[in-house]
Amino acid sequence: MKKTDKKIENAIRIALTEVCDVALDEVPGFKWITHFVNYDAFPSSLVVVCVFATKSDLSSALSTHHDDFLRTLITNKLSAANIQCKDSRQYVRFDSEETWEIQRYRLH
């Protein structure tokens, strides 16, 4: 990993940690957040995954528009870290611990 990639990775990690701290308090059923990125195609390769405890928790979050809240929060925190991503509907995904399949998020 190049030095610039490490700086970006650290900025992403800090921003998403802040998102996680807020989401744990504000979004019922939210458990954790992770990301995947291919730095050769950054920022378009960035994928952020918000993980809920159960499929039911995820369904509830979607029906109460917590997905919009999380997308906005993620975009704002990344933007504050000087990471600009165009459309959060393209790079923010939602999953549950019940159905988590890390393979589907792997970047090639």
Side-chain angles (χ1 to χ4, degrees), residues 26-43:
E26 300 290 327
V27 182
F30 176 86
K31 289 297 181 186
W32 48 282
I33 193 167
T34 192
H35 72 285
F36 302 93
V37 65
N38 173 352
Y39 286 104
D40 292 333
F42 182 80

Side-chain angles (χ1 to χ4, degrees), residues 82-96:
N82 293 318
I83 298 168
Q84 306 302 318
C85 297
K86 292 188 181 206
D87 182 6
S88 63
R89 291 198 177 272
Q90 297 297 317
Y91 72 90
V92 178
R93 314 270 172 81
F94 300 92
D95 208 338
S96 73

Side-chain angles (χ1 to χ4, degrees), residues 5-108:
D5 296 344
K6 287 180 182 179
K7 286 182 180 182
I8 295 168
E9 177 65 25
N10 192 47
I12 293 170
R13 185 188 52 76
I14 290 168
L16 295 182
T17 297
E18 292 173 4
V19 169
C20 189
D21 291 342
V22 171
L24 285 168
D25 288 338
E26 300 290 327
V27 182
F30 176 86
K31 289 297 181 186
W32 48 282
I33 193 167
T34 192
H35 72 285
F36 302 93
V37 65
N38 173 352
Y39 286 104
D40 292 333
F42 182 80
S44 63
S45 67
L46 179 65
V47 175
V48 176
V49 185
C50 299
V51 181
F52 288 78
T54 65
K55 291 185 279 187
S56 177
D57 289 332
L58 174 55
S59 180
S60 230
L62 296 174
S63 69
T64 58
H65 305 286
H66 280 105
D67 57 325
D68 294 333
F69 170 76
L70 287 168
R71 281 190 194 97
T72 299
L73 184 60
I74 291 164
T75 299
N76 290 344
K77 294 293 185 181
L78 290 175
S79 181
N82 293 318
I83 298 168
Q84 306 302 318
C85 297
K86 292 188 181 206
D87 182 6
S88 63
R89 291 198 177 272
Q90 297 297 317
Y91 72 90
V92 178
R93 314 270 172 81
F94 300 92
D95 208 338
S96 73
E97 289 181 334
E98 291 176 332
T99 59
W100 176 253
E101 294 178 39
I102 198 167
Q103 302 88 321
R104 85 173 98 172
Y105 303 108
R106 289 286 182 213
L107 304 171
H108 302 286

